[in-house]
C-alpha cells in the first residue's frame, strides 16, 4: 500500500531529531547546550512544518480541482 508523501511531517520529524541530537551531544559531553535551546528549535520547527503542510495541502487541492474540472 502506498502512502501519501507529507513533507510537513517529514520536516517536523527532522527538527525533533536534530533537537534530540543536540541534547544527546550535551549529555555525552561533546558540547554544552543551554536548557532553553530546545524551545526555539521545537517551536520554530513545528511552525515551519505547519506552514509547509498548509502549502502542500493548498497545492494538492488546486491540482485536484484543476484535474477534475478540466
Amino acid at each position: 500500500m502506498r502512502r501519501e508523501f507529507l513533507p510537513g511531517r517529514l520536516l517536523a520529524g527532522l527538527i525533533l531529531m536534530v533537537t534530540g541530537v543536540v541534547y544527546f551531544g550535551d549529555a555525552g559531553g561533546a558540547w554544552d547546550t543551554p536548557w532553553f535551546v530546545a524551545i526555539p528549535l521545537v517551536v520554530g520547527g513545528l511552525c515551519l512544518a505547519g506552514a509547509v503542510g498548509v502549502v502542500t495541502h493548498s497545492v494538492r487541492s488546486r491540482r485536484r480541482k484543476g484535474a477534475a474540472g478540466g
Side-chain angles (χ1 to χ4, degrees), residues 1-58:
M1 174 194 289
R2 292 189 59 154
R3 294 191 177 263
E4 186 176 18
F5 177 64
L6 301 170
R9 289 187 184 182
L10 174 67
L11 185 61
L14 288 174
I15 293 296
L16 292 175
M17 284 176 43
V18 166
T19 305
V21 167
V22 166
Y23 278 99
F24 185 74
D26 182 36
W31 54 78
D32 186 33
T33 306
W35 64 270
F36 55 84
V37 169
I39 296 169
L41 272 175
V42 171
V43 172
L46 290 177
C47 288
L48 183 61
V52 169
V54 167
V55 169
T56 302
H57 178 73
S58 174

